Amino acid sequence: MRLRNKPWAKDKIEEYPQYAVPNPELNKGKWDEVFGNNNPLHIEVGTGKGRFITEMAKAHPDINYMGIELYDSVIVAALDRLIEAELPNVKLLNVNAAELEKYFAKNDVDRVYLNFSDPWPKTRHEKRRLTYKDFLKSYENILVDGGEIHFKTDNQGLFEYSLMSFSEYGLLLKFLSLDLHKSDFEGNIMTEYEQKFSEMGNLIYRCEVKYTNDSKGQS
């Protein structure tokens, strides 16, 4: 994906610390203080323009949401959504997903959403896939015991790879759909990519997996 540079994005992000959290490493282990409550925290790794995280927050006001996005030229669109919606239960982190453990402690997070992640199809780029074992370990280290990953994609190759990766790690498969929009799944909120790909006729794949005592990272 080619990103259009927005040199003003970083300054705008800094203008709204109530939404885009500055110095997030200082809040590790105490995100409940940032949100002002003890509600569950769900994070979206690769939040893009923020449609999913914003609509989820509207639908579930008793859950705290956090969108994580590396590119400031992208996350600024999510920031615009939050400014307009004035949602108290959403925050944004403009950080690298490979460093999640820098910002979250064990038990900080209840659920991880991975929506239409970059498939990194070349074998030499396997370690960059957000469902690679090293990322699964990182999620486990910030999730509560029994925490879940909810994963959506239109990329069949990435979905098949991810199912294998989840299985090899010892995750429990709770839900699986090979054609989400023709399933009986309720409460689906589409991302920008999901709407685009679905309108093109692409199948949408979705699964939910849960960490168990059999997961590789468990001692």
Side-chain angles (χ1 to χ4, degrees):
M1 177 179 66
R2 178 173 294 179
L3 299 177
R4 185 173 62 184
N5 184 39
K6 298 177 181 177
W8 47 266
K10 187 174 182 63
D11 289 338
K12 183 168 185 177
I13 291 168
E14 293 177 352
E15 290 176 11
Y16 292 89
Q18 68 270 41
Y19 295 125
V21 182
N23 304 311
E25 66 276 3
L26 301 179
N27 300 305
K28 182 177 180 177
K30 48 185 179 182
W31 286 104
D32 54 341
E33 298 178 12
V34 175
F35 284 96
N37 58 59
N38 293 312
N39 292 341
L41 175 59
H42 295 182
I43 69 173
E44 183 185 19
V45 181
T47 203
K49 296 180 180 179
R51 175 178 176 178
F52 176 83
I53 208 78
T54 303
E55 294 304 315
M56 287 292 285
K58 291 178 182 177
H60 306 283
D62 56 343
I63 296 175
N64 296 326
Y65 291 90
M66 188 170 293
I68 296 167
E69 176 60 50
L70 174 61
Y71 300 106
D72 52 19
S73 293
V74 176
I75 202 172
V76 73
L79 176 60
D80 285 338
R81 288 181 181 273
L82 295 191
I83 294 170
E84 180 179 355
E86 297 184 336
L87 295 168
N89 60 325
V90 187
K91 305 292 181 187
L92 300 172
L93 295 191
N94 187 198
V95 300
N96 191 335
E99 300 178 336
L100 289 179
E101 292 173 71
K102 181 178 178 180
Y103 310 107
F104 300 98
K106 177 65 177 174
N107 298 320
D108 270 352
V109 179
D110 294 81
R111 181 177 298 170
V112 172
Y113 289 100
L114 303 175
N115 293 317
F116 298 87
S117 309
D118 192 324
W120 294 106
K122 295 182 180 179
T123 302
R124 69 174 184 271
H125 292 152
E126 179 187 8
K127 292 183 179 180
R128 298 185 185 184
R129 299 171 193 162
L130 292 181
T131 52
Y132 180 65
K133 62 182 179 180
D134 288 357
F135 280 103
L136 299 185
K137 175 63 176 175
S138 181
Y139 307 146
E140 182 175 25
N141 287 342
I142 66 174
L143 281 163
V144 298
D145 290 339
E148 298 181 357
I149 299 171
H150 291 194
F151 176 58
K152 282 197 292 187
T153 183
D154 72 313
N155 188 291
Q156 182 179 352
L158 178 62
F159 193 69
E160 292 173 352
Y161 168 86
S162 300
L163 290 177
M164 182 67 70
S165 184
F166 295 150
S167 177
E168 290 177 350
Y169 199 86
L171 295 173
L172 176 66
L173 182 63
K174 291 185 57 185
F175 174 88
L176 175 68
S177 176
L178 302 180
D179 190 354
L180 179 63
H181 293 179
K182 290 186 178 179
S183 73
D184 58 0
F185 181 80
E186 297 181 358
N188 182 55
I189 289 178
M190 289 198 290
T191 73
E192 293 90 349
Y193 278 128
E194 183 173 354
Q195 181 172 354
K196 175 183 176 180
F197 294 145
S198 179
E199 290 174 352
M200 292 169 59
N202 295 8
L203 296 178
I204 305 301
Y205 306 95
R206 186 181 188 277
C207 70
E208 299 174 9
V209 291
K210 178 178 180 180
Y211 286 87
T212 72
N213 289 334
D214 293 326
S215 299
K216 291 289 182 66
Q218 294 281 353
S219 56

